[in-house]
């Protein structure tokens, strides 16, 4: 997955993150505490894994939940 960050909505920076690598992002939401993304790791289509990640700053991401055998929708 790829997340882009901007402080001014004019200049954008790709956020480097090993946690997001290979994740097909489905949705993102802003919360009072930061951001949440949902996506699917599907390198093997027979063994998908839905992941929920959070970030307080949009730069550093932490996986907080996974569901084996499920596709994010």
């Amino acid at each position: 997955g790829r997340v882009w960050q901007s402080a001014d909505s004019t200049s954008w920076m790709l956020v480097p993150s090993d946690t997001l690598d290979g994740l097909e992002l489905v949705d993102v939401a802003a919360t009072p505490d930061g951001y949440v993304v949902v996506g699917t790791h599907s390198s093997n289509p027979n063994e998908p894994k839905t992941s929920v990640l959070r970030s307080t700053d949009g730069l550093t991401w932490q996986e907080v939940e996974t569901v084996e055998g499920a596709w994010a929708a």
Side-chain angles (χ1 to χ4, degrees):
R2 295 189 179 208
V3 172
W4 294 80
Q5 189 268 343
S6 175
D8 61 7
S9 297
T10 302
S11 300
W12 292 84
M13 175 187 80
L14 179 62
V15 175
S17 172
D18 291 339
T19 307
L20 295 169
D21 282 350
L23 185 67
E24 296 174 34
L25 298 178
V26 174
D27 206 353
V28 62
T31 72
D33 298 322
Y35 305 92
V36 177
V37 298
V38 177
T40 301
H41 288 280
S42 61
S43 57
N44 179 347
N46 295 318
E47 297 177 10
K49 178 177 81 168
T50 293
S51 296
V52 178
L53 292 82
R54 69 178 290 274
S55 174
T56 56
D57 60 6
L59 300 173
T60 304
W61 292 89
Q62 175 185 13
E63 191 170 60
V64 294
E65 186 71 39
T66 60
V67 180
E68 299 289 336
W71 291 90

